[in-house]
Amino acid sequence: MQKMADFLTPDYESEYLNKDAAAKDLVFMGGRASISLNGNWNYTIDPYDTCLRQKWFKEIYKDDEGRTLPVDFSFDTWEEIELPCNTNTVKPEFFWYEGPVVFSKTVRLKETDLAHDHIFLRIGAANYKCRVFINGQYVCEHFGGSTPFMCDVKEYLKEDNRIVLVSDNTRNRYHVPTENTDWFNYNGIYRDIELVLLPGDYIKDLKIALVPGSAFKKIKVTVRTSSDSGVVKVNIPELNISELLSVHNGTAERELDASPLLWSPESPKLYDVTVSFCEDTVSDKVGFREISVKGNDIFLNGEKIFLKGISVHEDSDATGKALTDEERMETIRVAKELGANYLRLAHYPHHENMAKLCDKEGLLLWEEIPVYWAIEFDDLDSYEQAKNQLEELICRDYNRASVIIWSVGNENPDTDERFKFMSSLADFAHKYDETRPVSAACLVDGKTLSIKDRLAEKLDIIGVNEYMGWYSPNFDELDMLFKNSNPSKPVIITEFGADATAGLHGTVDDKGTEECQAEIYGRQTETIKNIPYIKGMSPWILFDFKCPRRTSSIQGFYNRKGLITSDRKYKKPAFYVLQKFYREKN
Ligand code: GCB
């Protein structure tokens, strides 16, 4: 009997661990039309994971002899929730809930929809594990809380369907990130849910970029297709490009002569690109620019650039991690008001629209995977999760001109296991994307008080988090840190900062006051500006953000290192200190 089995089987989860949706499948949307499954779903929190244990998705209401059985779920009469969203933000009593949530929706498809050869379900992000069930069958699962996944569900669909999704954000030391982070562990399915209808032969992926070192005169196009051979058509009308490329072993690749207007923050020019293969067509708006590194310098389109940045989390009082495009645009506007030309999207992949908006608006981006603090570096499965998230991110955002750096992690201890783990990620990023530098936000070496991390040999740009004046109260150590260091690569100060509770005043030595934060920003910028190998900075952070680790009475479960309060209304004095520095910096 099912009912017996559900409490007698401790490893009930093992049967759901064998159908991974991952980067190897499909990630790239290519601007295709889709059937949106956003909107109302019935849902419940499911703290004991009973949906998986009892297999609710099978909808067994009668026994073999036709007698009615009691059930512990009610798919159609549970309360409704509007997806995408974080479950935590819909009711105060769910705010601290961590665990499985079950969502159910009935979906009616037309005959013409079902006539397509492939129907992919795409979920933009669900934190952290997500299991998909359609019409009583287990379809696939995905691990990783911030990247999209797609899975061909055609064989499970009919005209009337029940789709059940179970997302589970239970923290786990073998996940990436692990159970300990300095941000809020939001729950649920918080990015778009859609069905993408595709013909038998389709495009899996399109990568397009300027060829590095081609004097901005060559564009490389790589198209992966579902079938081994055939012909791909590439069109960039504004550049008079219309080319046929043959597919060999599932890939068509060519360098095309072209002289595009170069994309830059000052002139974020985008070109319409369309690629067709058999009955399938994808399109994208793409900017062409070259980012490169030489000696201690970073170059954009051959010109030296200083990255005037600020770090941002994906978090808002109103919507949690399920930000709206208006909120994203507000972030961009405020960053520009600050005088920034660059954002560090910490510490995990943000919504794909952020990079699209920054492409349009002309902001440079650092994108990162959540290899954060103490990952289980000797665990192969943790490595696979990290690598898959990196691959999904690169595949999703390869064509975004705004994205100039891939970061493989943040503040990890310099151990042998970590070196192996993160070196492999850096190698992978280099191999998968030959056009962008790879970095990581490293810790200061406390013993020698210098920029010294073995991982640096695998990076093109060294990110350094230093909190002189805050966690390291002796500010003089900042000078010493830079005097003791002689990096052969460009350095970005990926973090410095100080908490300040809005409205809390005192002397510059009173921790947590607006004055103390402003003083630290002043002293940091005064020191950093004289260090020749520092080629960028992204102080911590634009907005205050929710953080369960921060329990003091003035923190109130917020990290208050923001230059602006979490309601985005009040700019603390440090905002203006940094603004002045950026306005004066050429
Ligand atoms: C850091 C971390 C960041 C934290 C910040 C802090 O070094 O990278 O995630 O939120 O410090 O406020 O302590």
Side-chain angles (χ1 to χ4, degrees), residues 4 12 62 121 179 207 431:
M4 293 291 281
Y12 67 94
K62 302 230 159 152
L121 172 71
E179 60 217 331
K207 285 159 115 183
K431 198 169 125 221

Side-chain angles (χ1 to χ4, degrees), residues 358-403:
C358 288
D359 266 14
K360 261 201 234 153
E361 301 297 322
L363 264 187
L364 300 161
L365 294 177
W366 157 300
E367 291 199 336
E368 183 162 309
I369 53 164
V371 176
Y372 184 86
W373 289 352
I375 297 286
E376 289 293 331
F377 287 116
D378 52 8
D379 184 65
L380 195 61
D381 189 48
S382 300
Y383 175 76
E384 286 305 324
Q385 291 178 50
K387 183 179 154 252
N388 186 54
Q389 291 182 49
L390 181 61
E391 190 173 348
E392 286 171 337
L393 173 64
I394 299 180
C395 188
R396 195 193 74 178
D397 285 356
Y398 184 94
N399 296 340
R400 302 283 69 83
S402 52
V403 179

